[in-house]
Amino acid sequence: MQSMVSQLNDLDGQLDRVYRKEALTENEIKALCERVRGILREEKNMQFVRAPVVVVGDIHGQFYDMLELFNISGKPPDTNYLFLG
């Protein structure tokens, strides 16, 4: 349980750094990709999305556009998003 709390604190710290447009290390990015890969493997093809939700088209991998969207509409998990692309 302590390890999970530590991982969440690390993730929150990393998110704070990303929102400030600070770079993550290569090892941090690799670890995040591994965590995401595990989550995506467990998810179903269909997801229930709670309203209200912000529907977003394809942002073509424009990371800073996504951050600006979060600044305008609210940051997850306070705002629900559905990314279509």
Side-chain angles (χ1 to χ4, degrees):
M1 183 67 173
Q2 182 65 22
S3 175
M4 181 181 262
V5 170
S6 176
Q7 288 177 356
L8 288 176
N9 287 337
D10 290 345
L11 180 59
D12 286 339
Q14 289 170 338
L15 284 172
D16 287 339
R17 287 174 39 214
V18 168
Y19 289 138
R20 292 190 308 263
K21 299 182 181 178
E22 296 176 10
L24 299 178
T25 67
E26 182 178 346
N27 286 336
E28 287 174 310
I29 292 170
K30 285 180 180 179
L32 285 172
C33 288
E34 286 300 318
R35 287 181 66 185
V36 169
R37 183 181 299 162
I39 291 168
L40 291 176
R41 283 186 182 145
E42 303 271 329
E43 286 189 351
K44 300 176 184 176
N45 289 336
M46 299 278 290
Q47 293 292 319
F48 175 78
V49 180
R50 295 187 189 273
V53 63
V54 177
V55 179
V56 181
D58 193 344
I59 61 171
H60 302 280
Q62 297 300 310
F63 181 73
Y64 291 109
D65 289 350
M66 183 181 68
L67 291 181
E68 184 61 23
L69 176 68
F70 291 167
N71 284 333
I72 293 168
S73 298
K75 294 179 183 172
D78 299 324
T79 302
N80 295 320
Y81 289 92
L82 175 61
F83 288 90
L84 301 178

